[in-house]
Amino acid sequence: IHGVWPDHTDYIMYDCNPNKEFKKIYDKHLLNKLESRWPQLTSNEYAGLNDQTFWKYEYEKHGLCCEKVYDRSQYFDIAMKLKDSIDLLNILTTNRIVPGFQYSYTGDQIRSAIKRVTQKDPNPKCTYSKGGLELLEIGI
């Protein structure tokens, strides 16, 4: 999971409250759940759990936009529930789409595999890597 970004039909929601800062999470149970579902891939596990840099970034950039509706705990709970309900890796693997440079798939193959399960049009994003396109992320 990269993040949970609230949407509004009239404007883009990010950096809604730049003066408010993220308070570190100390609840060990919540930290373990977050680390297993939303690992901070920019650091090792120890640094991620201690510094919480990526979770802090995502919450300050996006989570604070919905703080009147969802508090910090609820924001992270929603992220984990979404991750659990839409297991993209499992969806792709079930449709014989597996990660690795030795395999190649079209955007239509990836989109249709996900849409069959979610009933939503996914938004795959790719990047150029090693002379070809590489799947970077999938927005739902």
Side-chain angles (χ1 to χ4, degrees):
I1 185 170
H2 178 137
V4 175
W5 308 328
D7 279 339
H8 193 284
T9 56
D10 296 331
Y11 54 89
I12 297 173
M13 297 179 73
Y14 60 87
D15 288 333
C16 298
N17 195 345
N19 298 324
K20 191 164 186 179
E21 289 200 19
F22 175 80
K23 291 183 174 78
K24 282 179 76 169
I25 300 166
Y26 292 100
D27 179 315
K28 297 284 187 204
H29 181 68
L30 176 57
L31 286 171
N32 289 333
K33 287 181 6 181
L34 275 169
E35 183 60 31
S36 70
R37 290 176 178 86
W38 192 349
Q40 300 178 85
L41 301 176
T42 56
S43 61
N44 65 42
E45 184 176 342
Y46 175 80
L49 290 170
N50 189 45
D51 301 335
Q52 304 176 11
T53 307
F54 190 67
W55 298 328
K56 174 185 186 300
Y57 173 81
E58 287 298 311
Y59 186 71
E60 287 178 350
K61 182 109 177 156
H62 304 290
L64 287 172
C65 292
C66 57
E67 73 176 332
K68 291 179 181 163
V69 180
Y70 304 109
D71 65 22
R72 185 190 71 179
S73 177
Q74 291 169 314
Y75 172 80
F76 285 112
D77 192 49
I78 288 168
M80 291 185 289
K81 284 180 180 173
L82 286 170
K83 165 70 168 103
D84 291 346
S85 69
I86 304 172
D87 186 343
L88 289 175
L89 188 56
N90 184 50
I91 291 169
L92 294 173
T93 303
T94 300
N95 284 274
R96 295 185 173 93
I97 299 172
V98 295
F101 288 110
Q102 67 270 31
Y103 305 108
S104 181
Y105 308 97
T106 66
D108 285 339
Q109 287 173 302
I110 293 168
R111 275 191 290 279
S112 61
I114 294 167
K115 188 171 182 174
R116 272 195 292 281
V117 175
T118 66
Q119 306 301 308
K120 304 286 183 204
D121 286 313
N123 182 15
K125 292 187 174 98
C126 297
T127 187
Y128 281 99
S129 176
K130 299 180 183 173
L133 284 175
E134 180 180 326
L135 184 62
L136 183 64
E137 68 181 30
I138 302 170
I140 302 290

